[in-house]
Amino acid sequence: MLPAVVKLCCGISYPHLRSMSGLQRTAVAVISKEITQMKHWAQIKHHIGKPAEPKTEVAVSEDQLFYIQHGKEALRKAVSMLEDREGWKLEIRENNGDVICSKVMPGAGKVFRLEAVLEASLDDLYDLLFVRVENIHEWNPSVQRIKVLKRAGPETIVTHEVSAETAGNLIGQRDFLSVRHSCREKSCLYLGGAAIQLESFPPQTGFVRAEDGPTCIVIKALDGDSTKSSFTWLLNMDVKGWLPKSIVNQGLPRAQLDFTRHLRKRLSLR
């Protein structure tokens, strides 16, 4: 049925493929790309929609299962937001090709999507952004510290993060309590997360506790070049406090650009 849709949309039949106009060829390419993306999203949805199961015989507690399910659900919701390609508005286009778009999502407010290409493999980025998450403050001055509070298997962690008081930070210092979940599918890596509440770790004195998510980073290996990856980051955050929305909507995309710049600098030191 899909080939028939392609032919119908282009106004052609198979015997005339070689005589297509430029517009028709473009239509075929666009539709083929969309079909590939649909299949890919279906694969990841299947993975994160499965019940949480331990990968070994080690017993998993009820609390750990809760964190795993919370992380998977956050990733599923964030991926669904990215999957909806309609209605995005261009916010920033950098000279290096980085692009940030925004969209108002029901129940989430304004979210931001950054798209970039990084000179790094999936393994490099997984190591920096998930395995060694507690070391992010060493290369990102916007972060004061990140502490892993709980581990629920190899793919899910609970973290406490404190942002740094840096010059030019429009939003100000915040702290975050979040579940982070990772998922690896061949040439793609998914890092998702969302805020969580723990009675054992209430809001800290002197900080405004912001809330993440659902949010995610999607990293895909570029075809034919294992040393480069596409990097898509959905930022969905409620900063809390009494800041005007205009300030928040300026500060969040700026934070994305700053983070990506620091990440590139760290990658260049490998």
Side-chain angles (χ1 to χ4, degrees):
M1 180 175 178
L2 288 175
V5 173
V6 174
K7 289 187 287 186
L8 177 62
C9 292
C10 297
I12 59 173
S13 61
Y14 182 78
H16 299 97
L17 283 175
R18 293 184 178 179
S19 61
M20 287 192 298
S21 66
L23 180 59
Q24 290 171 332
R25 291 182 185 275
T26 301
V28 171
V30 170
I31 293 173
S32 298
K33 182 178 180 180
E34 290 296 322
I35 291 171
T36 300
Q37 289 179 339
M38 288 168 61
K39 291 179 179 179
H40 183 70
W41 288 123
Q43 291 174 350
I44 183 63
K45 282 183 175 181
H46 173 72
H47 175 84
I48 61 182
K50 293 187 296 184
E53 296 179 356
K55 292 189 174 183
T56 69
E57 297 299 322
V58 177
V60 176
S61 70
E62 184 176 337
D63 283 348
Q64 288 177 315
L65 287 174
F66 170 77
Y67 300 138
I68 293 170
Q69 286 300 101
H70 192 78
K72 282 192 172 187
E73 180 64 11
L75 180 56
R76 184 192 67 79
K77 289 181 178 179
V79 166
S80 294
M81 291 181 186
L82 283 179
E83 186 180 11
D84 185 357
R85 306 295 291 184
E86 299 296 326
W88 291 91
K89 175 186 175 182
L90 178 65
E91 292 280 345
I92 301 173
R93 186 184 298 275
E94 295 283 275
N95 291 333
N96 63 3
D98 294 358
V99 175
I100 296 180
C101 297
S102 67
K103 182 178 180 179
V104 177
M105 294 281 189
K110 195 169 189 177
V111 301
F112 298 88
R113 185 190 73 211
L114 176 142
E115 295 181 316
V117 173
L118 301 178
E119 294 188 4
S121 67
L122 266 65
D123 289 337
D124 291 334
L125 293 169
Y126 178 69
D127 183 58
L128 282 175
L129 300 178
F130 193 82
V131 176
R132 292 194 285 165
V133 67
E134 290 186 321
N135 298 335
I136 285 179
H137 70 280
E138 295 177 358
W139 51 267
N140 183 4
S142 299
V143 174
Q144 181 173 305
R145 66 177 179 271
I146 298 178
K147 177 67 176 178
V148 175
L149 303 178
K150 298 177 182 291
R151 296 185 183 274
E155 298 177 340
T156 308
I157 55 178
V158 177
T159 63
H160 178 241
E161 175 180 347
V162 178
S163 64
E165 290 185 294
T166 57
N169 184 348
L170 296 177
I171 294 175
Q173 197 171 25
R174 295 290 191 272
D175 82 328
F176 305 82
L177 190 63
S178 309
V179 170
R180 303 178 186 227
H181 181 73
S182 67
C183 170
R184 182 77 176 263
E185 288 286 327
K186 295 183 180 178
S187 60
C188 298
L189 171 65
Y190 299 82
L191 305 175
I196 193 172
Q197 296 182 4
L198 297 177
E199 292 184 2
S200 60
F201 208 92
Q204 306 295 289
T205 302
F207 296 104
V208 175
R209 176 154 295 178
E211 294 186 354
D212 272 329
T215 186
C216 73
I217 292 175
V218 180
I219 303 167
K220 300 180 182 179
L222 292 186
D223 294 338
D225 191 345
S226 60
T227 64
K228 292 185 178 181
S229 304
S230 67
F231 182 87
T232 303
W233 176 11
L234 177 76
L235 179 59
N236 174 17
M237 182 187 297
D238 183 350
V239 301
K240 302 297 183 179
W242 300 97
L243 288 174
K245 286 187 177 180
S246 59
I247 298 297
V248 174
N249 291 337
Q250 291 179 52
L252 291 181
R254 177 182 294 183
Q256 287 183 296
L257 291 177
D258 288 344
F259 177 89
T260 309
R261 183 178 71 255
H262 295 310
L263 178 56
R264 282 196 172 101
K265 184 177 180 179
R266 172 62 181 83
L267 291 169
S268 69
L269 300 177
R270 290 174 296 127

